[in-house]
Amino acid sequence: MTEKLDYEVLEKRIQELEKENSTLRLFKFAIDNLSDSRCAIVNRDCRFETVSKGYYEAFNKNADQIAGKHISEILGNQMFKTIVKPNFDKALAGEIVNFSGWFDLPGGKKKFMDIQYFPVYSGDQINSVAILVHDLTRIKKAEGLLRESEANLIKAQQIAHIGNWNWDMTEDRISCSKEFYRILGIVPECFCPTYEGYMKYVHPEDLEMFQYSVKKALTETKSKTIKYRIVRPYGIIRTVHERAEVTVDSAGNPINVFGTIQDITEQVQVEEQYQTILKLAIDGFCLVDKQGQLFDVNDSYCKMLGYERDELLKLSISDIDVVQTLEQRVQQCKKIIKTGQDRFETKHRCKDGTLIDVEINTQYSDMKKGMFICFIRDITEKNKIREALKKGEIRYRNLFEGAPVMYAIIKNQKESTIITDCNKQFLTTLGYSRSEVIGKSISEFYTQESQKKLIKEESFRRSMENNFTASERELIGSDGRIINTLIQAVPEYDVQGNIIGGRSMYIDTTSQKRAEEQLRENHELLLMIVDGISDPLMMVDEKMNLMMMNAAAENYFKKNNETCLGRKCYQVFKMRQSLCEGCKLAKAISKGRQKSFERKGLMNPEKLERVCVYPVRKKGDNIRTAILRISDITRVKRIEKELIQADKMISLGVLVSGVAHEINNPNHLIMLNTPILWEAWEDIVPVVEKYYHQNGDFSLAGVLYSEMRDEIPLLFAAIKEGAVRIQRIVQDLKDFSRQDDTHMDQLVNINQVIENSIRLTENLIKKHTEHFKIEYSQNLPMVMGDQQKLEQVMINLIQNACQAVSDKKKAIFITSFFDEKKAMIEVEVRDEGVGIPQEMLDRIMDPFFTTKRSKGGTGLGLAVSSNIVKSFGGKIEVESDLGKGSVFKIFIPTRKFEYPVKILVADDDPFFREYLHKALGETERYSLREAVNGKEAFLKIGQELPDLFILDIQMPDMDGLDVCRLLKEKSELSDIKVIIITGFPESFIVDEIVKMGFDKILAKPFTIIELKKTIEKVMEVE
């Protein structure tokens, strides 16, 4: 009986539990599917017993991963201690706890939760706590958005200049927003809130249109939009856009109107500017609706297609576009609507049927139920150029790959130059594959020596700075072979003008290197020999093309080989377009015979030249050439002329000496007897006069006495004057023929000579000019000579100047000064007289030549003066301008070089020493000594103390650097001038020598002319 009772109790309990379980499952299902709600049962140990689906999904876990876990393991220790534990303890005490707030959940989520803690009883005991979580995040955010939306609406009205109003027609009262008043530019107190009150602000020109629109809207009881102008206080005009909705009563009568007003003044101005821009735009513009119909076009698009605007607006895009099919255009439009914009190329048909290539840049806009905004550019010419460039690129690539030389394209990247492309020849020659070359630095393919040059000289950087450069480089192949190349590089620039890379061409010169070096040595030797010749040398071919000029020729013509070679000689030197008339050079070349002739100087007509033509013809070569040698024979001819003149002067002197003696004796008798005859005549006159008065007139020498008695005194005076003139001529002849140097050892002050001469000719000067000016140079050096003879020269020049001026208003100037460079004292006597004809200037120094013979001139004054100045080692030069005056310049030297410059040459090359010895040698100017090495040179310096030391750097035993150090240490040798010669002027040894003060560097190879100029500059000699 007891067992049956226990069984019934157990069965009943099972049924109760199943009922509870069913209820719990139903509750759990409801909780699991309750939106934004989550539930969890937690035991007294703070461990989860069960959780709802929403709870464990919120933590990206399943139920098994949460059940049995401590709360702190799921929510974190911090949240557990600060929030969960205090509320949990209250629930265990039987209190229902409600808590809400923002929570930072795992995974960076932030949620607003409303959490309720319910105690769960088992009998009278609280065994667990039910936690019900409501996610109110969306509600809270919606509340915030609503508040934000309200604030934004107010702000948006301010930003968009949109106000709103409500017109209660039953009471005729208008209520407005703040923005409404701001748009009208008034305050609420100044506004009458009625329909008639608002009319006052409508622009008079728009008032009728406004009233009509209001009436129509009230009649049709439809929404209405209108654009009109308002007038603010102070006459400010604004444009507004207004939209209104009409409310009617049950009978259909309007009782209320609600509307918005927007200030669109700026928008209207922008639209006007937009229309102006479209009108002036170079590119075409059109608006196209979704059906492809043209809605608007600008003038440029009309002009592009040849249509009038009205004609074009009647067309659709399918009437113009000839490339796309209807289906393609539909797909294109869908793509533009999806992406918002697109750029593509197509062809458009013009009105005349021609097709043009166009580029279209289009954007989609929602305005007017969808519009495509299109900008069209005619790219017909651009495509032609593009096609030509494409063909050119193909040709370039074929040439690039097929070229028999190596090509590489390089780009600057930071501090390196990277190969971005190369041709097949580059890969074949070096033995690399393309992948082994592209992307590598060009320097990796250089030998170490070439890399050093690249770094030291920055050759590539310099090549990029020029338009086109060439330099030698050694490349290394994949098998270690050294390949000599000639690199030519052209730079590439970006749009800012910065160098970004370049194109390099490498020519394999390995096989030519040895031959070129030999040829270069021979060529340098030949150039040294040719440049060592002081006469200008040129080579021309039978067509008169210049083939070569030596250094003397370059200096002679003031032109260099680079600008002359390959051009016609008559073009370069005569600026002619055809062969010179009677050209002797052409005849000599054509006949193949040597010829020489003399001529006036080509560059300086005052000089005389001998031109020698030496025809040259290579074996097996039909081209004839000739070498010209131009020799300055001015000095030779002058010496010859002077010798002839000197011989004439000697003969003339002998003749003059004898003639002067023979003339002087009878002239002496005339001068002696004429006064006696005059006294006799004076004694006879009274007797003859008495006879005349007694007997009348009578004849004397066939002339009546009455006429003769007045003439006879004049005859005696003329005889006396003629005798004196003969005496003066004879004396000048004696002075001219006599070479008297007995007083040439006097120290003469030139300024004192001028003062004495002016004092002796003072009356003559005052008689001929009122403008006589003197300018003395102070501290003139003294000269050796005869002061009386120099005074004779100055007096003669002053007399000539006085006789040359025809008017006392004309001036005479005398100036003295010292030319330190020429070591000459110069005296100028300048007049503003009649001048001397050019054809007479060469003869005025000749004896007996005069233009004043009618005035008693003998023609000996300037000849004697010239001889006197020459005895001082000087000369007289004359410049004259007919009708403007003449300038006589006296040049008198103050010093002469008594000793040649002593030069010591130190060089271990015997050929070079011999070359310098032949070029400089033992002359009046230079005295040359030699040393074969540094030791010998230093010994000879101490023994001979040269004026100039020419020193090579590279020598055995003791090099140039050691010699310079010893010279620096010896103060007694500090006065010796030093010229350093070297083939390596950029070496560090030269830098060391320059730092010691020896800065006169002459780089090999050099010409004799360059050496002599350097010597003269260093020694400061003429």
Side-chain angles (χ1 to χ4, degrees):
M1 186 66 180
T2 304
E3 292 177 0
K4 183 179 180 180
L5 184 60
D6 291 339
Y7 174 79
E8 290 176 354
V9 172
L10 180 61
E11 184 177 3
K12 185 179 181 180
R13 182 58 180 162
I14 290 172
Q15 290 176 352
E16 290 176 354
L17 289 174
E18 287 178 352
K19 186 177 180 180
E20 289 179 6
N21 189 38
S22 177
T23 304
L24 287 173
R25 282 197 302 269
L26 183 61
F27 177 75
K28 185 175 185 302
F29 175 79
I31 292 298
D32 285 342
N33 291 278
L34 188 61
S35 176
D36 296 329
S37 294
R38 299 162 180 82
C39 182
I41 304 297
V42 182
N43 63 22
R44 296 183 68 88
D45 296 329
C46 296
R47 294 186 180 275
F48 290 98
E49 290 185 353
T50 183
V51 293
S52 68
K53 180 180 178 182
Y55 198 95
Y56 61 72
E57 286 181 349
F59 294 98
N60 295 322
K61 298 179 183 296
N62 55 42
D64 295 337
Q65 291 176 313
I66 294 181
K69 293 289 190 339
H70 195 277
I71 296 177
S72 62
E73 295 181 52
I74 304 302
L75 299 181
N77 196 44
Q78 181 68 22
M79 183 180 289
F80 174 74
K81 289 181 178 181
T82 57
I83 297 174
V84 178
K85 189 65 168 68
N87 295 320
F88 187 81
D89 291 341
K90 290 179 181 180
L92 287 178
E95 182 179 349
I96 297 175
V97 182
N98 193 312
F99 179 83
S100 61
W102 287 97
F103 294 91
D104 293 321
L105 299 182
K109 296 180 180 179
K110 192 175 183 68
K111 298 285 187 177
F112 188 90
M113 301 291 186
D114 180 64
I115 305 174
Q116 293 176 316
Y117 296 83
F118 297 94
V120 178
Y121 291 87
S122 179
D124 296 332
Q125 299 293 325
I126 300 175
N127 295 326
S128 57
V129 174
I131 303 176
L132 184 62
V133 181
H134 297 280
D135 186 353
L136 303 180
T137 305
R138 285 187 297 175
I139 296 174
K140 284 295 181 181
K141 287 185 177 180
E143 290 175 354
L145 290 174
L146 181 59
R147 287 192 297 271
E148 184 179 350
S149 177
E150 291 174 352
N152 288 341
L153 178 60
I154 297 172
K155 188 174 182 181
Q157 284 192 350
Q158 295 175 349
I159 294 173
H161 306 305
I162 298 177
N164 63 282
W165 50 269
N166 188 71
W167 179 23
D168 185 352
M169 297 181 65
T170 58
E171 297 182 3
D172 188 22
R173 184 166 186 83
I174 299 173
S175 58
C176 312
S177 68
K178 291 182 179 180
E179 189 63 19
F180 177 90
Y181 293 116
R182 194 201 65 76
I183 291 173
L184 289 183
I186 60 176
V187 294
E189 292 77 11
C190 298
F191 178 65
C192 178
T194 64
Y195 176 73
E196 291 298 329
Y198 182 71
M199 289 293 146
K200 298 177 182 179
Y201 296 95
V202 180
H203 195 284
E205 295 178 3
D206 297 344
L207 183 58
E208 183 178 352
M209 179 268 295
F210 176 80
Q211 291 174 336
Y212 172 78
S213 298
V214 172
K215 183 178 180 180
K216 186 176 181 180
L218 294 176
T219 302
E220 297 176 352
T221 64
K222 295 181 179 179
S223 62
K224 189 71 175 177
T225 61
I226 183 175
K227 181 171 72 174
Y228 60 95
R229 291 171 292 172
I230 61 173
V231 181
R232 284 181 172 182
Y234 306 107
I236 299 174
I237 298 174
R238 305 292 289 181
T239 303
V240 297
H241 178 271
E242 198 166 66
R243 178 183 295 272
E245 293 284 347
V246 180
T247 303
V248 297
D249 57 14
S250 58
N253 298 316
I255 59 173
N256 190 80
V257 182
F258 178 82
T260 60
I261 182 170
Q262 182 180 10
D263 186 345
I264 59 170
T265 306
E266 286 76 15
Q267 180 181 342
V268 171
Q269 292 173 350
V270 170
E271 287 179 355
E272 291 174 351
Q273 293 173 358
Y274 162 77
Q275 292 298 330
T276 302
I277 292 171
L278 288 183
K279 186 176 181 180
L280 299 177
I282 298 174
D283 290 340
F285 168 82
C286 68
L287 287 177
V288 183
D289 61 19
K290 287 184 177 181
Q291 286 71 41
Q293 184 66 38
L294 292 173
F295 187 79
D296 191 13
V297 294
N298 70 343
D299 292 343
S300 294
Y301 193 44
C302 296
K303 185 177 180 181
M304 189 185 299
L305 298 181
Y307 286 98
E308 295 295 331
R309 176 181 172 84
D310 294 339
E311 294 176 329
L312 196 54
L313 290 177
K314 294 176 182 178
L315 302 178
S316 67
I317 198 68
S318 60
D319 297 323
I320 300 170
D321 195 310
V322 298
V323 175
Q324 291 182 326
T325 63
L326 178 59
E327 184 179 352
Q328 288 174 332
R329 276 194 292 274
V330 171
Q331 294 300 323
Q332 183 84 30
C333 290
K334 289 181 179 179
K335 178 183 176 183
I336 296 171
I337 292 172
K338 182 178 180 181
T339 60
Q341 62 181 10
D342 194 13
R343 182 193 296 266
F344 58 95
E345 294 182 8
T346 184
K347 289 182 181 290
H348 280 185
R349 180 184 288 110
C350 299
K351 183 178 179 180
D352 60 4
T354 58
L355 301 180
I356 61 171
D357 296 326
V358 294
E359 180 185 66
I360 301 178
N361 190 347
T362 181
Q363 292 183 345
Y364 178 73
S365 173
D366 291 329
M367 66 177 182
K368 298 182 180 180
K369 298 182 180 180
M371 282 285 177
F372 296 97
I373 305 170
C374 303
F375 290 91
I376 306 100
R377 176 170 295 177
D378 185 349
I379 59 170
T380 306
E381 292 300 322
K382 178 182 176 182
N383 282 349
K384 290 179 181 179
I385 296 171
R386 184 188 299 170
E387 185 65 24
L389 289 175
K390 185 177 180 180
K391 293 179 180 178
E393 174 65 22
I394 295 172
R395 289 196 297 269
Y396 162 76
R397 196 69 200 180
N398 292 335
L399 290 172
F400 181 76
E401 290 295 342
V405 295
M406 296 181 281
Y407 277 106
I409 299 176
I410 48 184
K411 297 292 182 183
N412 291 347
Q413 292 186 6
K414 296 182 180 179
E415 299 299 325
S416 183
T417 51
I418 303 301
I419 301 175
T420 59
D421 196 6
C422 65
N423 69 343
K424 184 177 179 180
Q425 186 68 25
F426 188 91
L427 300 173
T428 303
T429 304
L430 298 184
Y432 291 101
S433 66
R434 182 172 293 273
S435 61
E436 292 175 312
V437 172
I438 303 303
K440 299 294 180 64
S441 172
I442 187 65
S443 61
E444 293 183 22
F445 301 95
Y446 286 174
T447 61
Q448 290 185 354
E449 185 65 26
S450 291
Q451 288 181 13
K452 291 178 181 177
K453 289 182 180 179
L454 185 66
I455 296 172
K456 181 180 179 181
E457 302 173 5
E458 294 184 346
S459 176
F460 178 76
R461 295 294 181 188
R462 288 207 302 270
S463 71
M464 293 296 98
E465 292 169 4
N466 300 299
N467 290 330
F468 192 88
T469 59
S471 57
E472 292 184 352
R473 286 289 178 269
E474 291 180 343
L475 301 182
I476 184 168
S478 59
D479 56 359
R481 291 179 300 112
I482 303 299
I483 303 164
N484 293 304
T485 65
L486 178 68
I487 174 177
Q488 296 176 332
V490 179
E492 291 183 354
Y493 304 89
D494 60 15
V495 293
Q496 286 80 30
N498 302 315
I499 296 172
I500 59 174
R503 300 187 300 273
S504 300
M505 178 179 71
Y506 297 85
I507 302 173
D508 188 352
T509 60
T510 307
S511 59
Q512 305 169 7
K513 191 70 174 179
R514 190 179 302 276
E516 286 182 358
E517 289 179 357
Q518 184 63 42
L519 182 63
R520 189 183 300 110
E521 290 177 2
N522 294 337
H523 181 68
E524 289 177 356
L525 177 61
L526 177 62
L527 284 180
M528 290 178 66
I529 295 172
V530 172
D531 285 341
I533 299 174
S534 59
D535 287 342
L537 293 180
M538 296 184 299
M539 179 178 284
V540 296
D541 62 17
E542 58 188 349
K543 295 182 180 179
M544 300 294 107
N545 294 315
L546 281 169
M547 300 174 66
M548 181 275 294
M549 293 195 306
N550 70 345
E554 290 182 327
N555 186 58
Y556 174 80
F557 290 110
K558 300 296 186 290
K559 297 179 182 292
N560 54 48
N561 275 289
E562 289 75 8
T563 60
C564 298
L565 298 190
R567 297 174 61 193
K568 307 293 184 185
C569 61
Y570 50 79
Q571 291 177 342
V572 176
F573 305 129
K574 288 286 192 176
M575 305 303 175
R576 292 171 57 93
Q577 297 302 318
S578 59
L579 192 66
C580 300
E581 186 176 351
C583 179
K584 298 178 182 179
L585 173 60
K587 294 178 181 179
I589 295 177
S590 62
K591 294 180 180 180
R593 296 179 182 176
Q594 181 175 333
K595 187 176 182 62
S596 65
F597 56 90
E598 296 179 1
R599 68 179 183 188
K600 286 186 177 181
L602 181 63
M603 306 305 293
N604 185 357
E606 296 182 359
K607 292 188 176 183
L608 293 175
E609 298 172 344
R610 178 181 289 112
V611 180
C612 297
V613 183
Y614 305 97
V616 179
R617 186 172 181 177
K618 297 180 182 179
K619 289 184 179 181
D621 194 346
N622 293 326
I623 300 177
R624 299 177 181 229
T625 59
I627 296 176
L628 280 76
R629 178 170 184 170
I630 304 174
S631 303
D632 185 353
I633 59 172
T634 308
R635 185 180 178 187
V636 174
K637 288 295 183 181
R638 186 173 66 248
I639 292 173
E640 289 178 359
K641 185 177 179 181
E642 289 176 355
L643 289 174
I644 294 170
Q645 185 68 14
D647 185 61
K648 288 181 181 180
M649 291 299 102
I650 292 172
S651 300
L652 182 61
V654 175
L655 175 64
V656 165
S657 180
V659 170
H661 179 73
E662 294 299 325
I663 293 175
N664 207 27
N665 288 333
N667 189 55
H668 181 69
L669 293 175
I670 294 172
M671 294 183 67
L672 182 64
N673 294 327
T674 298
I676 297 174
L677 291 174
W678 170 250
E679 290 178 0
W681 167 252
E682 287 182 334
D683 292 340
I684 293 172
V685 166
V687 176
V688 176
E689 189 68 24
K690 183 178 179 181
Y691 178 82
Y692 168 73
H693 288 294
Q694 292 177 352
N695 301 299
D697 209 351
F698 57 91
S699 177
L700 288 177
V703 180
L704 294 176
Y705 170 74
S706 59
E707 297 176 4
M708 178 63 79
R709 64 181 178 182
D710 296 327
E711 292 294 329
I712 288 176
L714 298 176
L715 293 175
F716 277 114
I719 292 171
K720 183 178 179 181
E721 183 180 352
V724 172
R725 184 176 177 185
I726 291 171
Q727 184 184 32
R728 186 168 66 251
I729 291 172
V730 170
Q731 185 60 41
D732 286 344
L733 287 172
K734 286 182 177 181
D735 292 339
F736 176 75
S737 62
R738 182 172 61 246
Q739 300 294 327
D740 185 8
D741 297 330
T742 55
H743 302 290
M744 292 299 290
D745 58 349
Q746 301 174 3
L747 282 174
V748 180
N749 185 325
I750 295 298
N751 286 343
Q752 187 64 49
V753 169
I754 296 172
E755 289 179 5
N756 293 344
S757 302
I758 293 172
R759 186 167 56 253
L760 293 172
T761 57
E762 185 175 1
N763 291 332
L764 181 65
I765 293 170
K766 291 179 179 179
K767 179 180 178 182
H768 285 85
T769 181
E770 296 176 353
H771 302 283
F772 183 75
K773 298 180 181 179
I774 311 165
E775 185 177 341
Y776 297 112
S777 177
Q778 300 300 319
N779 302 319
L780 288 180
M782 306 289 279
V783 297
M784 296 295 292
D786 188 333
Q787 179 169 332
Q788 186 176 358
K789 286 187 176 182
L790 282 178
E791 289 176 358
Q792 180 182 346
V793 173
M794 284 302 305
I795 289 171
N796 181 263
L797 295 182
I798 293 172
Q799 287 175 339
N800 287 347
C802 290
Q803 292 169 4
V805 294
S806 57
D807 186 351
K808 295 186 73 173
K809 301 296 182 182
K810 302 291 185 179
I812 297 175
F813 305 91
I814 299 178
T815 307
S816 67
F817 58 90
F818 177 57
D819 189 334
E820 294 185 4
K821 189 174 182 180
K822 295 180 180 179
M824 289 272 191
I825 292 178
E826 183 175 342
V827 180
E828 283 189 4
V829 179
R830 180 162 58 91
D831 64 71
E832 296 179 348
V834 295
I836 304 170
Q838 291 296 321
E839 61 271 14
M840 294 184 180
L841 284 177
D842 293 337
R843 300 176 57 197
I844 60 175
M845 297 295 179
D846 294 344
F848 306 111
F849 177 81
T850 180
T851 58
K852 299 175 288 186
R853 196 171 301 280
S854 61
K855 298 180 182 179
T858 64
L860 291 173
L862 286 177
V864 172
S865 298
S866 178
N867 283 343
I868 292 173
V869 174
K870 286 180 180 178
S871 68
F872 282 79
K875 60 181 178 179
I876 298 179
E877 291 182 356
V878 185
E879 297 175 3
S880 185
D881 194 352
L882 196 62
K884 295 183 179 180
S886 304
V887 180
F888 284 79
K889 298 179 180 180
I890 304 173
F891 297 92
I892 302 176
T894 59
R895 62 181 175 85
K896 295 182 180 179
F897 294 106
E898 298 182 358
Y899 303 102
V901 177
K902 289 197 298 182
I903 301 175
L904 175 61
V905 177
D907 196 302
D908 62 332
D909 186 351
F911 173 78
F912 182 75
R913 295 198 307 274
E914 182 181 358
Y915 172 65
L916 288 186
H917 193 81
K918 289 180 179 179
L920 300 176
E922 292 292 336
T923 64
E924 296 180 358
R925 201 176 194 87
Y926 308 111
S927 176
L928 198 66
R929 299 293 183 271
E930 301 175 5
V932 299
N933 55 47
K935 288 184 178 180
E936 182 182 353
F938 193 73
L939 290 173
K940 286 190 175 182
I941 287 175
Q943 294 172 355
E944 301 185 10
L945 294 176
D947 301 310
L948 176 63
F949 183 27
I950 299 178
L951 174 64
D952 186 27
I953 292 179
Q954 300 294 336
M955 292 186 297
D957 297 334
M958 181 187 293
D959 61 14
L961 179 60
D962 294 332
V963 174
C964 289
R965 286 170 178 161
L966 292 173
L967 285 175
K968 194 70 175 176
E969 294 173 359
K970 302 293 183 180
S971 58
E972 61 271 20
L973 305 178
S974 60
D975 292 336
I976 298 174
K977 308 291 186 181
V978 179
I979 297 177
I980 304 297
I981 54 175
T982 177
F984 305 95
E986 297 180 356
S987 68
F988 72 93
I989 297 178
V990 174
D991 293 339
E992 290 293 325
I993 291 174
V994 171
K995 289 177 182 178
M996 287 189 281
F998 303 102
D999 56 356
K1000 299 300 184 294
I1001 311 297
L1002 188 59
K1004 293 181 180 179
F1006 51 80
T1007 65
I1008 290 302
I1009 293 176
E1010 291 173 337
L1011 176 62
K1012 287 184 176 180
K1013 285 183 178 179
T1014 305
I1015 292 174
E1016 292 179 359
K1017 184 177 180 181
V1018 170
M1019 298 306 298
E1020 297 179 350
V1021 300
E1022 294 298 324

